Amino acid sequence: MTKRVLFIGAGNMGFAILRSFINSGNESFDISIIDPNLPKEKKIQLPGCSFYEDFTELVDTVKFDVIVIAIKPQIYNDISSEIGACIDDSGLIVSIMAGVETNRINSGLGKDIKIIRCMPNLAALVNYSVNVAYIAGTVDSSQKVTFEELFNGSGPIKWIDNEDLMHKTTALSGSGPAYYFAFTEALIKAGESMGLSSKQASDLAIDTFLGTAALIKENRSPEVLRERVTSKGGTTAAALSILMKNNCLDNLVKDALVAAEKRSKEL
């Protein structure tokens, strides 16, 4: 039997999950999408999906087997009762909202529904997201498989058994791509300040980033790799003496993650 799936929101993350699923070739789901701001060019990239502007366009009698909530957490309370009216009583809610805990999700729905929380990241656009997932309630094995079918195409799934860890993983992997982007931006700016052209600095920083990612994918020990490329008394050692002086880099990154975790809890 074809499962009825409703995506609420198809912004950056929702669209990335949808596109990776469709590109996987799986045709076992009947997918509907509610997003009043989804542009035509994105709809074209989501063949076979049904599109709606709001809940009023849905047939009242339709109950979905799975609803994926991919909206900003700030607007959840405004539409939670409408979501609750659309989900089958034995259905599954998948939430990728940052910071919104399962008890708040169920409270808004107005009934007790099985929930999987997932925190992907932007790398879902290239099928390399880190999808941290947590099961709340008695999600059965078939529903877990359904979730995995929907999300596996976007990247690996990392299961956790403590919901509080979602705040911490959101800080590390959910927001993580932005940290690497920011550091790459800083490298580019530093290169330009030293006299490289904008294109030279950009090409060198980005291609170095790509090569480094390939190395760390093969050998998953950044410490070993760092030591391997750092010759005593060499240029790399001179640079790292600045970055790592008095643990300044470690402390800066830790402070950043703590700030992200705090904001996740506030949401």
Side-chain angles (χ1 to χ4, degrees), residues 20-29 31 145-146 148-150:
S20 62
F21 170 74
I22 289 171
N23 288 344
S24 73
N26 191 319
E27 298 180 353
S28 59
F29 301 141
I31 296 181
V145 169
T146 294
E148 290 172 340
E149 285 182 307
L150 281 169

Side-chain angles (χ1 to χ4, degrees), residues 67-71 76 93-98 100-102 105 115-120 132 147 151 166:
I67 293 182
V68 180
I69 307 176
I71 57 175
Y76 175 68
I93 292 288
V94 177
S95 169
I96 65 171
M97 295 182 291
V100 183
E101 297 180 344
T102 54
I105 294 172
I115 299 172
I116 293 179
R117 283 186 64 191
C118 179
M119 179 48 59
V132 179
F147 165 77
F151 279 75
M166 290 296 294

Side-chain angles (χ1 to χ4, degrees), residues 59-174:
V59 178
D60 291 339
T61 56
V62 173
K63 299 291 184 181
F64 291 91
D65 301 300
V66 182
I67 293 182
V68 180
I69 307 176
I71 57 175
K72 293 179 179 178
Q74 294 90 336
I75 66 174
Y76 175 68
N77 288 348
D78 296 334
I79 62 171
S80 58
S81 61
E82 293 174 292
I83 297 173
C86 292
I87 187 72
D88 188 90
D89 288 345
S90 60
L92 173 69
I93 292 288
V94 177
S95 169
I96 65 171
M97 295 182 291
V100 183
E101 297 180 344
T102 54
N103 57 357
R104 178 181 161 195
I105 294 172
N106 260 331
S107 176
L109 296 173
K111 51 187 174 182
D112 190 22
I113 296 291
K114 298 170 184 177
I115 299 172
I116 293 179
R117 283 186 64 191
C118 179
M119 179 48 59
N121 65 34
L122 193 59
L125 286 168
V126 290
N127 310 115
Y128 217 86
S129 172
V130 177
N131 298 311
V132 179
Y134 167 77
I135 292 176
T138 55
V139 172
D140 61 45
S141 58
S142 65
Q143 289 175 318
K144 184 178 179 182
V145 169
T146 294
F147 165 77
E148 290 172 340
E149 285 182 307
L150 281 169
F151 279 75
N152 264 335
S154 64
I157 296 170
K158 310 289 186 181
W159 293 100
I160 57 173
D161 58 7
N162 181 342
E163 186 172 12
D164 186 58
L165 292 178
M166 290 296 294
H167 297 299
K168 305 177 191 305
T169 59
T170 295
L172 200 160
S173 60

Side-chain angles (χ1 to χ4, degrees), residues 230-248:
T230 307
S231 301
K232 187 176 181 179
T235 58
T236 305
L240 290 178
S241 70
I242 302 299
L243 286 172
M244 303 176 73
K245 184 178 181 180
N246 297 324
N247 295 317
C248 63

